[in-house]
Amino acid sequence: MRPLSSLFSLAVVASLTAASGLDRRLHGRFLHITDLHPDEFYRAGSDSEHGKACHRGHGDAGVFGAEKTSCDSPWALIDATFDWIARNVKDKVDFVVWTGDSARHGSDDDYPRDEDGILKSNRAVAEKFLDTFSDADGRLAVPVVPNFGNNDFLPHNTMKAGPNRWFDAYSTIWKRFIPRHQRDEFLRGGWFSVDVIPGRLAVVSLNTMYFFERNGAVDGCHRPSEPGYRHMEWLRGELQRMREAGIKAILMGHVPPARTDSKQNWDETCWQKYTLWLRQYRDVVTASVYGHMNIDHFMLQDTADVRVGGRDEEEEDDDDDDEEIEKKGHLFGSRLRVQSKGDYLQELRDEWSDLPDSVVGVLDEVDDDEDDDETSSKKKHKKNKYGKIGGKFAERYHVSLVSPSVVPNYFPTLRLVEYNVSGLEQTPLWKETQQGPTRVELRRRAPTADTEVPPGPAKESVPGPAHRAQPLTLTGYVQYYANLTRIGDDRDRFEYEVEYSTRDDGLYRLRAVTVKRWLHRARW
């Protein structure tokens, strides 16, 4: 986590997305919360070291947690966090993204995990969300979208194909979060989507356990018999539905698609399909957000690494690349074996240093919403200039944003993400509809081991909101943390405060969180 600086009041959030004289019904903001890890056996004053997990012994474990240790969260921290959210966030967001791990780790053999304890913990956290984000009549005021973390079931990391007893249990715990028309899909595979702004924006809850390299019960996304394959086919269908209905999508999951020499979170066949889907549906996907890793960072997916029909070479022209992919039409299913155990974050930096040299210059010169009305000679010049990054809007690349955790491996952290709501002033709210618009039903495909590549965006379509600033493009985020060292055990002093804002922080200074801007940060 970066040094904590530039601390200022909560009022900065409203100023970042202040309406231009209009009484907007949407706030243009959502909460991302992840990795709460409540521990019913946590004891204040216990030993935070020597393998005690803050369960026993005598030491410095605080009332609200043992910051910068491997101990899980006391319920006092969970209660205080939701109290703060109720006072400061509840009425300022349009929806909530909750990316899993709402049960403790199994780090203490004297307190083994069991099914009842895991479900009880998740049930209690779900009730916290319901209590916090419901109106006086008991109805949810905004949609809350959960998904599975790798500690939300047994055995740890190992989820078998559905239907299974875990999906059945969580279909009850998350009953008020999963749309009725998505419940059959959830029982089948633990995945679902929610139209959080009806007719305009959906959040897709991915079950990344079926992509997770450490899940020994499944084997990637290449064979039709595997749940990972079925998940990817479902995701393809959802993105196609959204394209046809004019809806944009935020993808959310627990385990992010990290892929370096020492850290490969996903099976390679799943990473390949996911990255190809991102490319082909780049007119639909607005953003991808994850948790799990407890550290604040982002990662890039480079579509030049997608192997289609034996294709390894990099194509410079974006439109020609689409045609080549669709013509060749099948995705290789090979797997990358990772052996190195080097430093993950340093490896990310090393990979970023290999980004095309043109990235810095191109991004310094070109605005996200630059006019397309140019002469043919200028367009030809810029085609060559931008070729290595996938065109003027860097469509070769995609970004995954990883939020740090509530569990205080560092300090407890929350993230308020902001997005552009221009032109959406009269859009119906989720709570007014409770269900999205009439869905476009797609005919199911017969399973086949060869993956047919989805069509790319229409030739006449503009770049999607992840690549070009427009309504629903992310405009930034404000990160909050609770300084447990300063708060100590004083309940009256507990609060989250601003760590940084991507718009005002000296390191970021982003006016729109487009892929091109993240590329610039990576090389800066």
Side-chain angles (χ1 to χ4, degrees):
M1 183 174 286
R2 297 192 312 102
L4 306 177
S5 59
S6 304
L7 305 179
F8 40 98
S9 72
L10 184 66
V12 72
V13 179
S15 69
L16 294 181
T17 54
S20 55
L22 297 173
D23 182 18
R24 284 180 174 154
R25 305 177 73 213
L26 289 168
H27 300 287
R29 194 179 301 116
F30 67 89
L31 170 66
H32 183 190
I33 182 170
T34 192
D35 293 82
L36 288 88
H37 288 293
D39 183 356
E40 66 272 30
F41 298 111
Y42 182 99
R43 297 291 179 266
S46 62
D47 188 354
S48 62
E49 300 178 354
H50 311 107
K52 300 296 195 302
C54 293
H55 289 165
R56 56 193 179 278
H58 298 283
D60 57 359
V63 168
F64 297 109
E67 66 271 26
K68 294 180 283 187
T69 73
S70 59
C71 292
D72 283 330
S73 302
W75 273 100
L77 173 61
I78 306 302
D79 292 340
T81 294
F82 278 93
D83 287 345
W84 186 88
I85 290 172
R87 295 193 308 271
N88 297 282
V89 175
K90 173 185 176 181
D91 298 323
K92 297 181 175 69
V93 296
D94 302 319
F95 55 94
V96 178
V97 169
W98 165 25
T99 48
D101 264 6
S102 298
R104 65 185 176 91
H105 293 94
S107 54
D108 186 349
D109 291 340
D110 289 347
Y111 294 86
R113 300 195 325 148
D114 58 36
E115 183 171 336
D116 287 344
I118 291 170
L119 295 178
K120 181 179 179 181
S121 179
N122 270 276
R123 193 175 294 112
V125 173
E127 287 296 328
K128 286 287 183 184
F129 279 103
L130 290 170
D131 291 344
T132 301
F133 290 99
S134 291
D135 287 332
D137 61 4
R139 298 176 63 191
L140 269 176
V142 297
V144 176
V145 190
N147 66 16
F148 286 106
N150 59 312
N151 290 283
D152 292 330
F153 51 87
L154 286 174
H156 172 239
N157 293 333
T158 305
M159 178 178 281
K160 296 180 180 179
N164 59 50
R165 71 182 191 279
W166 294 102
F167 297 164
D168 187 60
Y170 280 96
S171 70
T172 300
I173 294 172
W174 295 343
K175 182 177 181 180
R176 294 179 62 187
F177 306 138
I178 303 172
R180 288 188 181 89
H181 60 264
Q182 291 276 331
R183 287 176 189 166
D184 286 345
E185 283 294 343
F186 179 80
L187 288 168
R188 180 171 172 253
W191 51 71
F192 66 101
S193 67
V194 180
D195 290 351
V196 293
I197 304 178
R200 300 304 298 266
L201 179 66
V203 172
V204 180
S205 179
L206 302 174
N207 185 355
T208 55
M209 297 305 102
Y210 288 145
F211 311 151
F212 197 19
E213 179 72 14
R214 297 179 67 183
N215 183 0
V218 298
D219 188 21
C221 298
H222 184 55
R223 297 187 183 90
S225 59
E226 289 295 327
Y229 177 96
R230 296 194 294 272
H231 194 352
M232 285 295 177
E233 287 301 293
W234 172 83
L235 176 59
R236 176 221 295 265
E238 283 294 282
L239 294 176
Q240 183 64 33
R241 170 184 77 85
M242 293 170 192
R243 172 183 281 166
E244 294 173 6
I247 298 172
K248 305 304 181 184
I250 293 174
L251 307 183
M252 62 172 282
H254 181 67
V255 178
R259 186 176 182 262
T260 69
D261 286 342
S262 70
K263 190 74 172 179
Q264 172 127 354
N265 280 345
W266 288 15
D267 181 278
E268 178 69 3
T269 62
C270 301
W271 188 95
Q272 288 281 328
K273 281 192 177 181
Y274 176 76
T275 304
L276 179 59
W277 275 208
L278 287 177
R279 175 182 174 77
Q280 299 306 92
Y281 289 103
R282 63 189 182 274
D283 55 325
V284 177
V285 177
T286 296
S288 302
V289 298
Y290 294 91
H292 178 63
M293 300 185 76
N294 299 340
I295 50 177
D296 177 9
H297 68 296
F298 66 95
M299 57 188 68
L300 300 171
Q301 283 82 57
D302 184 353
T303 60
D305 290 339
V306 174
R307 296 187 295 277
V308 179
R311 171 184 172 275
D312 290 320
E313 71 278 5
E314 177 184 326
E315 301 286 346
E316 290 197 352
D317 181 75
D318 199 59
D319 291 335
D320 292 344
D321 213 17
D322 282 338
E323 292 175 359
E324 188 70 12
I325 285 177
E326 291 171 30
K327 182 170 64 177
K328 292 183 176 178
H330 296 287
L331 178 67
F332 271 19
S334 60
R335 175 180 298 179
L336 177 68
R337 293 296 183 186
V338 178
Q339 296 179 343
S340 172
K341 295 184 179 180
D343 180 76
Y344 164 66
L345 293 177
Q346 184 58 50
E347 287 173 349
L348 282 180
R349 296 186 186 99
D350 292 343
E351 287 188 0
W352 294 344
S353 69
D354 293 333
L355 288 169
D357 291 336
S358 60
V359 165
V360 175
V362 166
L363 297 178
D364 280 336
E365 296 172 15
V366 182
D367 200 358
D368 288 315
D369 54 1
E370 182 180 340
D371 192 356
D372 283 326
D373 186 17
E374 299 174 306
T375 65
S376 59
S377 61
K378 285 184 178 180
K379 286 185 177 181
K380 183 176 181 180
H381 170 71
K382 289 191 173 183
K383 176 179 176 180
N384 295 330
K385 183 177 181 180
Y386 307 139
K388 290 186 177 181
I389 62 171
K392 184 167 64 175
F393 298 99
E395 292 179 278
R396 166 180 162 179
Y397 294 94
H398 298 268
V399 175
S400 295
L401 303 177
V402 183
S403 180
S405 57
V406 171
V407 66
N409 290 160
Y410 297 96
F411 284 130
T413 306
L414 303 170
R415 180 174 287 182
L416 287 186
V417 184
E418 300 173 329
Y419 64 99
N420 187 338
V421 292
S422 300
L424 304 180
E425 292 82 9
Q426 301 305 315
T427 301
L429 300 179
W430 174 86
K431 67 180 180 181
E432 296 170 346
T433 63
Q434 293 298 295
Q435 293 185 7
T438 302
R439 297 168 61 82
V440 178
E441 296 297 336
L442 300 175
R443 180 171 56 86
R444 289 193 181 276
R445 301 169 182 268
T448 172
D450 290 326
T451 298
E452 181 182 343
V453 176
K459 287 279 189 180
E460 64 275 11
S461 66
V462 299
H467 292 89
R468 183 177 185 177
Q470 60 192 273
L472 301 176
T473 294
L474 301 191
T475 57
Y477 59 81
V478 181
Q479 191 137 294
Y480 293 86
Y481 77 106
N483 189 331
L484 298 187
T485 304
R486 185 169 63 246
I487 293 168
D489 295 341
D490 188 346
R491 296 178 186 275
D492 293 334
R493 296 184 64 187
F494 185 92
E495 66 173 348
Y496 282 83
E497 56 189 294
V498 174
E499 179 187 351
Y500 68 90
S501 159
T502 55
R503 182 168 297 187
D504 295 336
D505 184 82
L507 177 63
Y508 288 94
R509 292 178 294 179
L510 298 173
R511 64 179 179 275
V513 190
T514 57
V515 170
K516 191 166 61 176
R517 298 297 161 187
W518 284 116
L519 281 172
H520 204 187
R521 292 305 93 189
R523 281 298 304 270
W524 192 54

